[in-house]
Amino acid sequence: MGSVDLRAGGAPVPSSAIPLRHARLALPPALGWQSQRYTGARLLGVNADAVLTLPGVLQVVQQRHLVAVIADSDGRARQACALLKLRWSSPTAQAQTLRPRQDAHLYQRGKDESAGHDLTMEADYQWQDGEAAMPLQDMIALAVPGAEGIRIDLPFGNPGLIAQELAALLCLPVAGIEVRSHRAAASAGEYRAASDAAGVAALLCKQCGEAVSLVLPQVEAPPVVTSLHLRGEFDEDGTLGETALEITQDIAPPPLAWLLTETVYPLLDAATTDGAALASPYDWRSVHVSGPLETSVPVAASCFAQEIFLDEVAQRLGQDPVSYRLAHLPDPHGTDLIRSVAQGAGWQPARQRTQSQDKLLRGRGFAYASTIEQQAGQPVQSWSAWVADVEYDPASGELSVTRVTAGHDARALGMPPAAGPALEQASTEQLGQQARLALAQSLHGGSGFDAWSRELSVPPAAPQGAALPVVELVKTPPALQDIQLNAGAAFTLPAAAAISNAVYAATGVRLRQAPFSGEQVRLALNASAPATGMQRWRKYGWLGAAVAAVGTTLTLALPWRS
């Protein structure tokens, strides 16, 4: 039987037991999805006569808009797929807004019994959930038929959910589907890539009745946009009263096999959202979260909005954002981490926007996150805090991040911190790679920020003109337990908010839409001089950030221990 080195992303190696076939997919020139309908290019005709005469080409499979070539080698399948003569229609001309899901009450904490508060603030934020700026490698999936079902091998993925998808797609019981992956999908983009490859490979395996290895290039799916509206009531002395987070989200397209075959996707609303994970960690007297039913709202989206909003509250009250967080964070472990990172960054409470003799505007921003995730079936709490330093050149419009100080900790719930020798260098490098990847995603565009816990090395080819930062370890922490060696979901969660808050400190412009767009911020910064206080806050509500380069220093305090 054929096998694939999934960890290395290598090519299948057939054995003499079972022949291994190779497949390539001919993608439509445009994919589209609206209101649970396929609106992309539609297949009008296939001419495969010439392709079927090529050496090693075994079959051309067509199912509605899904067209694939099966051959005895990947090279021949790729070559034949390029030679197919396909006729496509133009995509359906419709508005691109997807139908939002139904909202519900997701979380409620506390009750504000005060008569009223001095001040009320509201703000809107937007988070576009997609893959990183750096593209994923081609996805390899191996599908092997069995007596009662099928087995799928993937480099990463969520086996349980993918098995449910494949069972519905192939009209088989879930017990007849075995999905194996080297590791869990670490982002929405990775999960989608795994679902796309698994579904197509399973259909082709069922069609030809033999083991099939599919190499699927990265498919750009329409991003999932999450809009967040935050409202908060508080007093002039800084007391936090009531806060409400309202979330709306588009309906995402189904996996590729369902999309191209126009098969009804029964698991469209199978995901769930943990409302508590989206709530503010600070001591608001009353916290309310409402959002879409039966979907998965990114924790990164909530963190982005909550951390910018609290920064705006501190600014409105004239208080230092770090000191204000320390005064209102009830988690002692979190406050200790914040103090450690602020000290490592040399944070000064009396922070002012500065303009040096070189005419550069400089600012610093802070953000914090804490979340609970499942690692190896065990709940693990993670904490993270970031300080970002930025520079803006009014003459050239260039905005750059010059330094980031990040602190992180992770602890299995119900277990004491691990004791032992110094953290191995490999773990430190892994955390540093994730930090650099988060910066590259945040500062150089792309379709989203959601790869905040990916176990990936920094891509070999960075965007042109970018200088990925050097990682420095502030202090050597004690070793972690094996389950804690992963950076954890919270590690890079504060990245986008910290940069946004730093940009405000430098320029007076609030960035409330991620991923950041260079053109938007250039227009804003070249406009008339920004207003102050609430006027400035309202004037620049929906902006992105232009970042010409990542700076040279990333100071890392990872992980941290009290």
Side-chain angles (χ1 to χ4, degrees), residues 113-293:
E113 298 180 346
S114 60
H117 296 277
D118 302 331
L119 300 168
T120 298
M121 288 181 66
E122 297 186 46
D124 293 299
Y125 307 88
Q126 190 177 86
W127 185 267
Q128 184 170 296
D129 194 19
E131 197 40 70
M134 308 297 184
L136 293 171
Q137 296 178 346
D138 290 351
M139 183 73 182
I140 300 177
L142 179 65
V144 181
E148 299 180 357
I150 194 171
R151 191 193 80 216
I152 303 291
D153 288 330
L154 300 165
F156 48 77
N158 298 49
L161 293 177
I162 292 176
Q164 294 181 44
E165 291 176 347
L166 297 182
L169 182 67
L170 304 177
C171 298
L172 293 173
V174 176
I177 307 294
E178 180 185 5
V179 179
R180 307 188 305 186
S181 64
H182 173 60
R183 62 173 174 84
S187 71
E190 283 196 353
Y191 171 72
R192 179 170 186 89
S195 290
D196 285 346
V200 174
L203 281 179
L204 298 179
C205 176
K206 181 180 179 182
Q207 180 74 21
C208 71
E210 296 182 283
V212 172
S213 170
L214 171 71
V215 179
L216 185 66
Q218 184 185 21
V219 178
E220 255 190 63
V224 177
V225 176
T226 302
S227 298
L228 307 98
H229 178 80
L230 264 170
R231 181 179 185 275
E233 297 181 2
F234 51 98
D235 295 327
E236 289 284 2
D237 64 1
T239 301
L240 296 175
E242 181 180 14
T243 184
L245 173 62
E246 299 176 5
I247 305 169
T248 57
Q249 189 184 70
D250 295 335
I251 293 178
L256 193 60
W258 304 83
L259 190 67
L260 295 180
T261 60
E262 295 191 84
T263 304
V264 178
Y265 186 60
L267 306 180
L268 189 61
D269 294 321
T272 58
T273 291
D274 179 6
L278 305 177
S280 170
Y282 303 102
D283 62 354
W284 295 87
R285 291 179 179 175
S286 174
V287 177
H288 179 74
V289 179
S290 62
L293 280 170

Side-chain angles (χ1 to χ4, degrees), residues 410-444:
R411 181 175 299 175
L413 295 183
M415 299 181 64
L423 182 68
E424 295 180 2
Q425 185 64 26
S427 300
T428 302
E429 292 176 355
Q430 176 189 350
L431 302 181
Q433 287 169 349
Q434 292 193 24
R436 289 192 294 269
L437 179 60
L439 285 176
Q441 293 164 355
S442 302
L443 305 180
H444 295 282

Side-chain angles (χ1 to χ4, degrees), residues 18 36 52 90 110 139 143 181 191 264 328 353 388 436 490 562:
I18 298 178
Q36 302 187 53
L52 291 172
S90 299
M139 183 73 182
S181 64
Y191 171 72
V264 178
H328 293 282
R353 189 183 317 159
R436 289 192 294 269
S562 58

Side-chain angles (χ1 to χ4, degrees), residues 350-380:
R351 181 187 62 172
Q352 298 292 334
R353 189 183 317 159
T354 61
Q355 182 171 357
S356 60
Q357 294 182 351
D358 55 14
K359 306 299 183 181
L360 297 180
L361 300 177
R362 295 182 172 88
R364 316 190 79 187
F366 182 89
Y368 163 83
S370 177
T371 190
I372 297 176
E373 61 179 349
Q374 294 291 324
Q375 294 183 20
Q378 185 172 11
V380 176

